Amino acid sequence: MTDQTTASVSEASTKIAELTRQLQSSSEKKQLQVIPELVSTGAAGLEVLMEFLKEQSNPANLTAGVVYQALYDADTPSTREFLQNHFPTGVVPLRSEGGIDYTTLQQLLVKQDFLAADRLTLEKLCELAGSTALQRKWLYFSEVDNFPIADLQTINTLWLIHSQGKFGFSVQRELWLSLSKNWEKLWPKIGWKTGNNWTRYPNEFTWDLSAPRGHLPLSNQLRGVRVIASLLSHPAWTTKSEN
């Protein structure tokens, strides 16, 4: 090994050590910046990310979610084996009081297939409401009021974790409250309306992370605001999650 190669290896090792330190001890914002840098270093960086994820006592947080996503996207034999062995159903506990299976929703969100995930989210909400809602394929606001807290938190956490914190009912609620619950200000803020024109489904919506915060998941605002008002006012957002 030449002196130049030795120096290069040493430099890479020092860089990974520093990135590892930042991942373990920095703020969430800094951690999120460090993750792609570690991915760019190759196998050694992926090893650090796998170790970090394995050590999380509660992996249903934003940093762990982005690490999971990075390992999934890396798609190497070692990352595939690691995720299958340690996180076969992802980092979000798929809790349901209604006995509903959220595995497919988790898989779609990990694949960043936000259009399919959005459609499935509505289906799962109708499933929560019962067979009549499933048949009609939309919700009454009174049905939303009776949704189990655990199920709404599971759906929301899946969206939140797999969108780098951009999407989810809790994000929409945060924006709605910041606008003093003014719907006419919320619609353009989340990209559901431009001027007097509603965004047309599905082609005018943005199905990737370039969308505005709170853009997804959708609610049928054309039926009025009562369903989304019930969703954003649900006790799920003021009750501590058991995740």
Side-chain angles (χ1 to χ4, degrees):
M1 191 180 284
T2 66
D3 290 347
Q4 191 174 1
T5 307
T6 304
S8 174
V9 168
S10 174
E11 191 177 310
S13 174
T14 303
K15 180 184 178 183
I16 287 171
E18 174 56 23
L19 290 173
T20 303
R21 186 191 66 75
Q22 291 179 21
L23 182 67
Q24 291 170 339
S25 61
S26 298
S27 65
E28 182 183 86
K29 185 179 179 182
K30 184 61 183 173
Q31 286 177 322
L32 297 179
Q33 292 170 349
V34 164
I35 293 164
E37 291 186 57
L38 278 164
V39 171
S40 71
T41 66
L46 293 174
E47 193 64 45
V48 169
L49 293 175
M50 286 188 275
E51 200 55 42
F52 173 81
L53 195 55
K54 196 161 65 173
E55 289 170 357
Q56 297 298 296
S57 57
N58 172 21
N61 63 68
L62 193 52
T63 300
V66 174
V67 169
Y68 178 94
Q69 195 73 48
L71 294 172
Y72 177 88
D73 292 342
D75 197 27
T76 68
S78 62
T79 59
R80 282 197 299 270
E81 183 183 2
F82 171 80
L83 293 180
Q84 186 55 46
N85 288 342
H86 295 279
F87 299 94
T89 58
V91 292
V92 178
L94 303 180
R95 294 167 54 245
S96 171
E97 288 173 41
I100 292 173
D101 184 1
Y102 294 107
T103 307
T104 305
L105 180 59
Q106 184 265 345
Q107 291 166 344
L108 290 172
L109 286 167
V110 171
K111 290 174 184 170
Q112 309 282 277
D113 188 346
F114 293 122
L115 174 55
D118 183 68
R119 286 176 174 157
L120 185 59
T121 296
L122 175 58
E123 189 181 309
K124 291 297 179 185
L125 292 176
C126 288
E127 198 177 332
L128 275 178
S131 56
T132 309
L134 261 179
Q135 287 171 349
R136 84 169 99 86
K137 298 184 179 177
W138 48 272
L139 299 164
Y140 285 124
F141 75 93
S142 54
E143 293 168 330
V144 174
D145 293 340
N146 296 319
F147 282 170
I149 286 172
D151 290 75
L152 272 187
Q153 288 179 342
T154 295
I155 292 169
N156 181 68
T157 305
L158 283 168
W159 275 97
L160 197 64
I161 293 287
H162 294 297
S163 65
Q164 299 179 16
K166 288 194 81 167
F167 302 147
F169 298 124
S170 61
V171 179
Q172 293 168 350
R173 172 184 162 83
E174 177 200 321
L175 293 168
W176 179 55
L177 293 178
S178 75
L179 297 167
S180 303
K181 301 185 180 181
N182 184 316
W183 298 110
E184 290 310 310
K185 289 182 179 176
L186 181 67
W187 307 139
K189 181 88 173 171
I190 62 177
W192 289 11
K193 201 173 185 181
T194 306
N196 292 322
N197 300 317
W198 289 104
T199 304
R200 292 192 178 192
Y201 179 86
N203 294 337
E204 291 182 359
F205 283 92
T206 304
W207 303 105
D208 58 48
L209 291 178
S210 69
R213 275 191 83 227
H215 191 59
L216 301 171
L218 302 182
S219 303
N220 190 346
Q221 72 279 11
L222 298 181
R223 290 188 183 277
V225 300
R226 297 187 81 175
V227 168
I228 188 169
S230 292
L231 271 169
L232 302 191
S233 305
H234 196 280
W237 321 127
T238 51
T239 303
K240 187 168 172 57
S241 170
E242 292 178 22
N243 284 350

